[in-house]
Amino acid sequence: MVADALVYHPTVAHYLRFVATTVGRDKLLRTLQYFSRFYAWYLYRTNNPERLIAPFEAIKKQFGLTRKCLRIGKNVEHFKAAATAFDNTTMDPVLKCCAVGRQLGYAMYLSLDTVTYLDTSGIRPMASAKRLQREAYRAWFTGLMFNAVSSLYILWQLRQREQSIDKKDGESVVESKKIQRERNSTNLQLISDLCDLTIPSAALGYANLDDGIVGLAGTLSSLIGIWSAWKKTA
């Protein structure tokens, strides 16, 4: 039967594994949140009535609040990752520094983000909420910068490895393909980080970016995240 073919299709099983992960659900919500941010800006700029804009503004705010709630406690994971990277004696010094900086930046961002959730949700209004949110964005910006530097360094390393390959060696083809896969993965991560950098940059006033640019950049990085999470659950 058609129904059985759909229910037991491998793609359905893959989808269930994907949405069973916190990362998968978060990336889906994030995509809708940032696309709504862009689309609300677009509707406003094209002089559409408030009744058309309001639903997308609501999605942006409510999904953002939901994701903030789901992130509570995740800071511990990044503090642990920072400690693990710091204790790693075999890691490249530059990558080690970037890994520790990235994880500490994310950990501080999530810690402050948790505190501001109490104010945003109305559980406990705080006069310092705006200042704490700015500090959270600053920590996120720092973590993203460390990750971007790490990606650029890895791309440089891959270029050096590629230049040292003996083209006459039969194993060079395998090594070249391996380098290409690593380069593609690193380039994708770099694009995602550069897109994400627009969010704290705009919030902190480092760059004059409107909601249209930030919304599109956030949507793109979210789609990259969905693709990565989908591959991991294959």
Side-chain angles (χ1 to χ4, degrees), residues 5 10 26 39 54 60 62 68 98 110-111 125 130 139-141 161 165 222:
D26 176 72
Y39 201 58
K60 179 183 73 174
Q62 294 303 320
K68 194 183 278 274
C98 288
L110 292 168
S111 298
K130 287 186 178 180
W140 186 21
F141 180 87
R161 279 172 55 190
I165 291 177
S222 300

Side-chain angles (χ1 to χ4, degrees), residues 3 11 16 20 23 28-29 46 79 82 86 92 95 100 113 123 125 135 146 148 168 171 202 205 230:
T11 303
L16 292 174
V23 173
L28 287 173
L29 290 174
T46 51
F79 277 124
F86 183 78
D92 182 287
L95 294 179
V100 173
D113 194 57
I123 295 174
E135 293 303 320
F146 272 113
K168 298 179 181 179
E171 295 183 0
W230 182 264

Side-chain angles (χ1 to χ4, degrees), residues 68 71-75 109-119 126:
K68 194 183 278 274
R71 289 196 297 264
I72 293 175
K74 192 173 172 57
N75 56 334
Y109 163 65
L110 292 168
S111 298
L112 293 168
D113 194 57
T114 298
V115 176
T116 60
Y117 173 77
L118 299 175
D119 176 84
M126 294 179 292

Side-chain angles (χ1 to χ4, degrees), residues 128-139:
S128 60
K130 287 186 178 180
R131 179 179 60 81
L132 291 174
Q133 189 62 63
R134 283 187 63 82
E135 293 303 320
Y137 277 127
R138 192 169 284 115

Side-chain angles (χ1 to χ4, degrees), residues 31-96:
T31 301
L32 293 172
Q33 176 193 351
Y34 279 99
F35 178 77
S36 295
R37 181 170 180 172
F38 159 74
Y39 201 58
W41 169 86
Y42 171 78
L43 291 174
Y44 175 77
R45 289 295 298 270
T46 51
N47 298 316
N48 281 273
E50 181 63 29
R51 63 182 177 80
L52 293 179
I53 301 173
F56 295 99
E57 286 287 351
I59 291 173
K60 179 183 73 174
K61 292 177 182 177
Q62 294 303 320
F63 282 20
L65 185 61
T66 300
R67 292 183 57 244
K68 194 183 278 274
C69 179
L70 292 174
R71 289 196 297 264
I72 293 175
K74 192 173 172 57
N75 56 334
V76 178
E77 174 189 333
H78 292 284
F79 277 124
K80 183 180 184 300
T84 302
F86 183 78
D87 292 336
N88 192 329
T89 57
T90 60
M91 187 181 292
D92 182 287
V94 175
L95 294 179
K96 179 176 180 177

